[in-house]
Amino acid sequence: MPTYDGRDERSDADRRAVCLPGDVVYASPAGVIFIPPHLAELTVVQAEKSQVRDVFGFIRLKEGVYTTAQIDASWTMPLWQDFLDWFGSAEEAAEYRHLTWEHELEEARKLAGSGPANDVRM
C-alpha cells in the first residue's frame, strides 16, 4: 500500500502479476487486472448490468423512491418490477436493452419466500 509520503511498502511479490496469452487487460488509475478469455464476456455483461442498475438506483434515490439500504441489498420482486418497467422505457437504459435478467429474477423469486433481505449485492 502506498504510504502518505508516496512510498510503496509492498514487497516485490505483492506487486507481481501474470498475464497469459489471450487475457484481456483492463487498466485504470486504480490498477490493472487480467481477465482470462473464458471469463471476458461474463465480466463485461456483469459490468454492464451493474452499471445500468446503478443508473436506476441513483435516479430512484434522487426521486426519494428508495433508500440506499433498499438499493444496495438484494432486490425484492416489487423493486425488480419497478426496475424492469423503467428498463423497458427509460432513455437512460436504451443502450443496455440487449441485456437479459432471467437469472437475477429467478434468484429474487427464490429469496422472496425467505423473508427480508439484509445482505449487500455485489
Side-chain angles (χ1 to χ4, degrees):
M1 248 339 149
T3 61
Y4 289 109
D5 63 5
R7 292 178 293 126
D8 192 338
E9 295 181 347
R10 295 176 294 178
S11 70
D12 287 340
D14 292 334
R15 288 183 261 164
R16 284 188 234 156
V18 175
C19 182
L20 299 174
D23 283 358
V24 174
V25 179
Y26 175 78
S28 76
V32 177
I33 60 171
F34 303 108
I35 305 165
H38 68 282
L39 296 177
E41 182 179 9
L42 175 63
T43 302
V44 170
V45 168
Q46 290 303 110
E48 287 184 303
K49 286 182 173 187
S50 181
Q51 176 67 24
V52 73
R53 285 182 64 174
D54 283 349
V55 170
F56 168 80
F58 289 130
I59 289 170
R60 288 301 196 252
L61 287 169
K62 185 176 180 182
E63 295 170 345
V65 175
Y66 300 111
T67 66
T68 54
Q70 289 170 304
I71 292 294
D72 291 340
S74 294
W75 287 4
T76 62
M77 285 306 297
L79 201 154
W80 268 108
Q81 190 56 58
D82 184 27
F83 170 77
L84 292 172
D85 293 342
W86 172 87
F87 185 75
S89 61
E91 185 178 320
E92 299 91 339
E95 68 181 287
Y96 300 99
R97 291 210 181 99
H98 62 279
L99 299 171
T100 60
W101 302 95
E102 289 82 15
H103 175 74
E104 291 83 358
L105 291 170
E106 181 61 31
E107 289 298 312
R109 286 185 196 100
K110 288 178 186 176
L111 291 173
S114 62
N118 60 1
D119 62 329
V120 175
R121 75 172 169 96
M122 295 290 169

